[in-house]
Amino acid sequence: MPEGKLLVGLSWQPQLLIPSSSKAADACHNKPQSEASNSSLWKPNTELVDGIFVPPNDPRKLNKLLRKQAKDTAGKDWFDMPTQTITPELQTDLKLLKLRSALDPKWHYKKGDSKSKALPKYFQVGTVVEDASEFYSERLTKKERKATIADELLSDQKLAAYRKRKVREIEEQNQPVGNTKWKIRGRNSWKRAKERRVY
């Protein structure tokens, strides 16, 4: 193409490589031998041919490719709810929701699937908007409202006192019965008993 002539618009020419072992063909394409031998007219569906995607000819492979590209949703009955990307914050919130029956002694929930450790695949996260009649009773203030459920639970003073009380009760239950000071164990206890003897 001459230097003075301006190119208007787009032009595209396919760069087809004819596999040959001659050095003249390699020199004209300015490619190394290994790259020229690997490239051909047809490439697998993961690669591009001259920057353009060419779908496979096999209908089974094409259907498999279309299934991979289809969005994973909960179905028409759930209004095509998409899957969520699970971040560490979302993961802790979902685990807390599974264990919500242990958080507050005054609230009771259905058992549900709390025993299964698998997290739900399809879910949505929203913000609770309180009614105007609950302005003084059920509403969270700006100070109490946190980014995640875990942060809200950790900042709640009533729940912290309940957790401490429960932990203390469990420790008292698991504490061994009797006074450990008077138990005689091993050789050192024999020496102590000998020292305590009065003649």
Side-chain angles (χ1 to χ4, degrees), residues 82-172:
T83 55
Q84 299 286 332
T85 53
I86 296 182
T87 61
E89 293 85 15
L90 266 177
Q91 193 171 10
T92 53
D93 284 352
L94 290 172
K95 285 179 182 177
L96 279 170
L97 283 174
K98 278 189 171 286
L99 299 171
R100 66 180 181 250
S101 58
L103 292 175
D104 196 355
K106 295 178 182 176
W107 283 93
H108 301 286
Y109 300 94
K110 277 187 184 178
K111 284 195 176 180
D113 62 342
S114 60
K115 288 186 179 179
S116 69
K117 293 183 179 179
L119 296 175
K121 190 175 180 182
Y122 306 103
F123 60 90
Q124 288 184 342
V125 180
T127 306
V128 176
V129 179
E130 292 87 1
D131 192 24
S133 63
E134 299 172 347
F135 188 78
Y136 293 107
S137 59
E138 295 294 319
R139 185 180 63 94
L140 287 174
T141 60
K142 282 186 181 178
K143 265 189 186 178
E144 293 170 344
R145 199 177 299 272
K146 305 288 182 195
T148 61
I149 296 173
D151 294 337
E152 282 184 17
L153 292 175
L154 287 173
S155 65
D156 192 1
Q157 297 298 322
K158 290 179 184 176
L159 274 175
Y162 173 70
R163 278 195 311 267
K164 282 182 184 177
R165 182 170 59 85
K166 277 295 183 188
V167 167
R168 203 177 319 114
E169 285 176 10
I170 292 168
E171 284 176 351
E172 286 171 2

